[in-house]
Amino acid sequence: MLLGRIAGTVVATRKEPLMEGWRLLVVQQLGVDNQPTGGYVVATDAVGAGVGEVVLYASGSSARQTEITRDRPCDAVIMAIVDTFEVGGAEVYHK
Amino acid sequence: MLLGRIAGTVVATRKEPLMEGWRLLVVQQLGVDNQPTGGYVVATDAVGAGVGEVVLYASGSSARQTEITRDRPCDAVIMAIVDTFEVGGAEVYHK
Amino acid sequence: MLLGRIAGTVVATRKEPLMEGWRLLVVQQLGVDNQPTGGYVVATDAVGAGVGEVVLYASGSSARQTEITRDRPCDAVIMAIVDTFEVGGAEVYHK
Amino acid sequence: MLLGRIAGTVVATRKEPLMEGWRLLVVQQLGVDNQPTGGYVVATDAVGAGVGEVVLYASGSSARQTEITRDRPCDAVIMAIVDTFEVGGAEVYHK
Amino acid sequence: MLLGRIAGTVVATRKEPLMEGWRLLVVQQLGVDNQPTGGYVVATDAVGAGVGEVVLYASGSSARQTEITRDRPCDAVIMAIVDTFEVGGAEVYHK
């Protein structure tokens, strides 16, 4: 899993029927210093994340192991909202 | 999933029989600023996308979770045509 | 899928028994300008591709969705020989 | 699999129910010289690893092949604590 | 699949039980010029490869398609020992 920050939203009306009902969020990847790495992904929201929140997301087939994404064409899912993370004994982020 | 723009087409007559009937499109990856990143993928079209359109595509095994790609050798599928996306509260793209 | 050019061959006699009978080809990745990107992969040939030909190859679990690779340890398969591809309205490659 | 060093922890109370009970650890990737490469991953701990330890982790669907991660949205798992590794005939790391 | 050279070994006694009996080898990635690319992977040995040998390895879920890795948390497997490979009509490597 990787750390990311919710940066925006994507709207698509013409789509694979199996995507119906998904919230599609733009997630900026974060490094362990809580700074953007420059990468991003558009992920399906499984936990009700809001713009600006720090989250964990899973990629690949593992992204299909949630109730709303199972057997659907999803390769990235937001699976947790991060409360805190620490690196090297120091708290880097606190919600 | 990632954002991309349909840039072209690929024609192949000698191919795996399971690919029969696919439209194969060249998709240029886009960053969250709607600019090309330099990367691309050749993806199977599941939604009737046209050249120039901004789309979402899924990669890996998730690309096989659509009706036309299930159990077939597809590792990238165009699954939605993007209407709008916004980042940091500002609309970056509007169809 | 990605575009590549068949650049060579690999011979291995001591191998996983499930690989028996495969033609293993060195595929140089191509960009959408038909120039090598510097990357390569060794792929199993599912279509009878020859050295110098431009092909499409699939990676990951999707590479196991052909008759000769199913349930075998293959993570890259040549699935089509490209006749033509065009980008931005211009033909970039013609066989 | 890749080598990594446990660098920290992630706490998340709002999450996919299938993640319940996981220890989520920040793993810094190591090169074969035992130095950080700059990359990281947040991995589920399957072996009781502690901060500072050198570990092996698996990514992708293979990360779901342990008792605590099977059929769950996990794309990285810590599967072994490294005792020693050697490269080019010289021991690079000894626990 | 990619080409690599066996560069070393990893020893881990505390590990996922499903890993029992594996030989874990450090594999340096090779380019098509037979030179190291700088990347590496720790792979499970399915063919009895020795240090210094040039091998083919598979990654991701395909790494679980051998007898000793099936349904186990393995994301890289050494599946063949390379005898020769040629690129551009010239033999680059001969065992």
Side-chain angles (χ1 to χ4, degrees):
Chain A
M1 287 71 76
L2 290 174
L3 297 160
R5 182 171 283 117
I6 308 299
T9 55
V10 175
V11 176
T13 47
R14 186 161 157 195
K15 60 191 166 193
E16 244 288 318
L18 290 166
M19 295 172 64
E20 206 60 54
W22 285 356
R23 281 183 75 220
L24 293 167
L25 299 178
V26 178
V27 183
Q28 289 184 306
Q29 288 179 8
L30 295 174
V32 292
D33 55 0
N34 198 26
Q35 297 302 307
T37 62
Y40 81 98
V41 74
V42 177
T44 306
D45 178 26
V47 289
V51 172
E53 285 191 300
V54 173
V55 298
L56 273 181
Y57 64 96
S59 301
S61 60
S62 300
R64 301 198 306 273
Q65 307 294 322
T66 74
E67 193 181 338
I68 65 167
T69 58
R70 201 167 296 271
D71 299 327
R72 300 182 183 208
C74 174
D75 66 7
V77 72
I78 299 159
M79 58 200 274
I81 298 174
V82 173
D83 296 323
T84 61
F85 73 88
E86 64 170 52
V87 174
E91 190 176 75
V92 178
Y93 169 79
H94 193 109
K95 189 177 172 177
Chain B
M1 288 70 77
L2 290 173
L3 297 160
R5 182 171 282 117
I6 308 298
T9 55
V10 175
V11 176
T13 48
R14 185 161 158 195
K15 60 191 165 193
E16 242 290 317
L18 291 167
M19 294 172 65
E20 206 60 56
W22 285 357
R23 283 182 74 220
L24 293 167
L25 299 177
V26 178
V27 183
Q28 289 183 306
Q29 289 178 7
L30 295 174
V32 293
D33 55 359
N34 198 26
Q35 298 302 307
T37 62
Y40 82 98
V41 74
V42 176
T44 306
D45 178 25
V47 290
V51 172
E53 285 191 300
V54 173
V55 298
L56 273 182
Y57 64 96
S59 302
S61 60
S62 300
R64 301 199 307 273
Q65 306 294 322
T66 75
E67 193 180 337
I68 66 166
T69 58
R70 201 167 296 270
D71 298 329
R72 299 181 183 208
C74 173
D75 66 6
V77 72
I78 299 159
M79 57 199 275
I81 298 173
V82 173
D83 296 322
T84 61
F85 73 88
E86 65 171 52
V87 174
E91 190 176 75
V92 177
Y93 169 80
H94 193 109
K95 191 179 171 178
Chain C
M1 287 70 76
L2 290 174
L3 297 160
R5 182 171 282 117
I6 308 298
T9 55
V10 176
V11 176
T13 48
R14 185 160 157 195
K15 60 192 166 194
E16 242 290 317
L18 291 167
M19 294 172 64
E20 206 60 55
W22 285 357
R23 281 183 75 222
L24 294 168
L25 299 178
V26 178
V27 183
Q28 289 185 305
Q29 289 179 6
L30 295 174
V32 293
D33 55 0
N34 197 26
Q35 297 302 308
T37 62
Y40 82 98
V41 75
V42 177
T44 306
D45 178 26
V47 290
V51 172
E53 285 190 300
V54 173
V55 298
L56 273 182
Y57 65 96
S59 302
S61 59
S62 300
R64 301 198 307 272
Q65 307 293 322
T66 75
E67 193 181 336
I68 66 165
T69 57
R70 200 167 298 270
D71 299 328
R72 300 181 184 208
C74 174
D75 66 7
V77 73
I78 299 159
M79 57 200 274
I81 297 173
V82 173
D83 296 324
T84 60
F85 73 87
E86 65 171 51
V87 174
E91 190 175 75
V92 177
Y93 169 80
H94 194 110
K95 190 179 171 176
Chain D
M1 287 70 75
L2 290 174
L3 297 160
R5 181 172 283 117
I6 308 299
T9 55
V10 175
V11 176
T13 48
R14 187 160 157 194
K15 60 192 165 192
E16 244 289 316
L18 290 166
M19 296 172 63
E20 205 61 53
W22 286 356
R23 281 183 76 220
L24 294 167
L25 298 178
V26 178
V27 183
Q28 288 184 306
Q29 288 179 8
L30 295 174
V32 293
D33 55 0
N34 198 26
Q35 296 302 308
T37 62
Y40 82 98
V41 73
V42 177
T44 306
D45 178 26
V47 289
V51 171
E53 285 190 300
V54 173
V55 298
L56 274 182
Y57 65 95
S59 301
S61 60
S62 300
R64 300 199 306 272
Q65 306 294 322
T66 74
E67 193 181 337
I68 66 165
T69 57
R70 201 168 296 271
D71 299 328
R72 300 183 183 205
C74 174
D75 66 7
V77 73
I78 299 159
M79 57 199 274
I81 297 174
V82 173
D83 296 323
T84 61
F85 72 88
E86 65 172 52
V87 174
E91 189 176 75
V92 178
Y93 169 80
H94 194 109
K95 189 178 172 176
Chain E
M1 287 71 75
L2 290 174
L3 298 160
R5 182 171 282 116
I6 308 299
T9 55
V10 176
V11 176
T13 47
R14 186 160 157 194
K15 59 193 165 191
E16 243 289 316
L18 290 166
M19 295 173 64
E20 206 61 53
W22 286 356
R23 280 183 77 221
L24 294 168
L25 299 177
V26 178
V27 183
Q28 289 184 305
Q29 289 179 7
L30 295 173
V32 293
D33 55 0
N34 197 26
Q35 297 303 307
T37 62
Y40 82 98
V41 74
V42 177
T44 306
D45 177 26
V47 290
V51 171
E53 285 190 300
V54 173
V55 298
L56 273 182
Y57 65 95
S59 302
S61 60
S62 300
R64 300 197 308 271
Q65 306 294 321
T66 75
E67 193 180 336
I68 66 165
T69 58
R70 200 167 296 271
D71 298 327
R72 299 182 184 207
C74 175
D75 66 7
V77 73
I78 298 158
M79 57 199 274
I81 297 173
V82 172
D83 295 324
T84 61
F85 72 88
E86 65 172 52
V87 174
E91 190 176 75
V92 178
Y93 169 81
H94 194 109
K95 190 179 170 175

